[in-house]
Amino acid sequence: RAPAPSLPLTLCSSEVTTLNSLTPSSTNEYAIGANVVDSLVEYDSYGKIIPSLAESWSHNDDMTEWTFHIRKGAKWVDQTGKEVADVTANDWVSAARYVNDAHNDSANQYMYNTGAVVHNAQAYYDYTAYQLTLETNNLATGENAADSDGNPITVVDPVDPASIGVRAA
């Protein structure tokens, strides 16, 4: 009798350092987030985009503005399965602001600038990165200042997080 075939075993190549689905940087962290946090849309087994937390969506003629209609009754739940809050469009607004704030060191920030660019996302990120540079170097302003390596710090004009192109209606 032949031995039963062995199934492939996927081993973690690194320790998980965060369960924050907005800041993963390793394959394991992305995999956990993908399996425990729903998104607006997902892929079916054929790679077709299907509804998830968005029950429907539409776009303008030039596809520069998209509107997602959030499924009614979706809830945030805690680790015990207890419902703690309704899922709302403001959750995506908050996520966009969080991910594009350099202080949060999100490995996902690039997604706001690849494919379809989200208005002012990069500008806000650049502004918060500038603020972080000033804080790191204990500087009040970037005018005529240099970082710890002697590189000049370019002043970046303020950008309001409300100007990021993600809105709740």
Side-chain angles (χ1 to χ4, degrees), residues 26-112:
S26 74
T27 302
N28 293 333
E29 291 165 357
Y30 277 108
I32 291 169
N35 285 288
V36 299
V37 179
D38 285 330
S39 57
L40 289 170
V41 298
E42 58 187 42
Y43 295 98
D44 69 10
S45 59
Y46 300 102
K48 179 182 172 194
I49 294 176
I50 59 172
S52 183
L53 287 175
E55 59 187 6
S56 64
W57 54 91
S58 60
H59 56 77
N60 63 356
D61 288 341
D62 64 0
M63 300 177 77
T64 58
E65 293 182 19
W66 290 75
T67 301
F68 292 88
H69 304 278
I70 309 302
R71 182 170 28 99
K72 302 281 188 251
K75 304 285 185 187
W76 285 101
V77 297
D78 67 13
Q79 73 278 7
T80 68
K82 177 185 171 198
E83 294 178 353
V84 294
D86 290 329
V87 172
T88 71
N90 282 317
D91 295 323
W92 280 271
V93 173
S94 297
R97 291 178 183 182
Y98 184 93
V99 168
N100 286 288
D101 186 328
H103 293 85
N104 297 320
D105 195 26
S106 175
N108 291 326
Q109 191 277 331
Y110 75 94
M111 289 191 277
Y112 284 81

Side-chain angles (χ1 to χ4, degrees), residues 148-160:
S148 58
D149 295 326
N151 300 312
I153 297 173
T154 303
V155 175
V156 177
D157 292 333
V159 177
D160 186 343

